[in-house]
Amino acid sequence: MAVNIYDTANTLEQQLRETKEFKELKASYDAMKTNKSAFDLFKDFQEIQMQLSQKQMNGEELTDDEVQKAHDLADKVGNVDEIKALMGKERNLNQLMNDLNQIITKPVQELYRD
């Protein structure tokens, strides 16, 4: 019997949406969006992170100004309750995803143990 692993992945995707961790993350994100200044700051923080990651992946050096701007923005983000709550929920979902990844990759891990 052939296994369509993509069907399994699509089922997992739907089940992930029903987990406590995802629902709490979504509720936290929706709550943060109601605070315009928090939401704008969060979006700015995401943009800076993406830009710096892209530069690093391209092998480009980060300037001192870029690093300082990222640190300053991170400090501001860390002082906003709605964003702190969101990041806590994000950590919880990330832990679940890491657990799932360990389960999914178990056959490969076992293969290389021999």
Side-chain angles (χ1 to χ4, degrees):
M1 176 161 125
V3 173
N4 186 340
I5 201 159
Y6 292 101
D7 288 343
T8 304
N10 286 319
T11 299
L12 181 60
E13 180 257 340
Q14 289 300 315
Q15 290 175 346
L16 180 65
R17 292 176 188 275
E18 298 302 318
T19 64
K20 176 184 99 159
E21 292 83 356
F22 180 81
K23 287 179 179 181
E24 288 178 352
L25 177 64
K26 184 177 181 333
S28 186
Y29 184 73
D30 290 344
M32 183 199 54
K33 285 176 28 180
T34 65
N35 178 338
K36 182 173 174 17
S37 63
F39 185 66
D40 290 345
L41 184 61
F42 178 74
K43 287 298 186 184
D44 289 345
F45 184 64
Q46 280 186 313
E47 181 66 27
I48 291 289
Q49 283 183 316
M50 188 176 67
Q51 289 172 359
L52 297 182
S53 290
Q54 188 64 43
K55 281 188 81 167
Q56 287 178 320
M57 286 190 308
N58 290 337
E60 299 175 41
E61 289 289 322
L62 302 180
T63 67
D64 290 340
D65 283 347
E66 289 172 326
V67 171
Q68 187 60 48
K69 184 177 180 179
H71 282 294
D72 291 346
L73 202 49
D75 287 343
K76 288 179 186 176
V77 163
N79 291 322
V80 178
D81 290 339
E82 292 91 344
I83 298 174
K84 285 193 300 190
L86 177 71
M87 289 181 167
K89 301 305 181 189
E90 210 173 78
R91 277 190 297 278
N92 293 343
L93 182 62
N94 192 45
Q95 181 59 54
L96 174 63
M97 300 291 286
N98 286 336
D99 293 347
L100 292 172
N101 190 49
Q102 285 182 338
I103 293 166
I104 292 167
T105 60
K106 188 175 182 178
V108 177
Q109 293 169 10
E110 289 174 350
L111 176 69
Y112 288 131
R113 272 194 215 133
D114 293 339

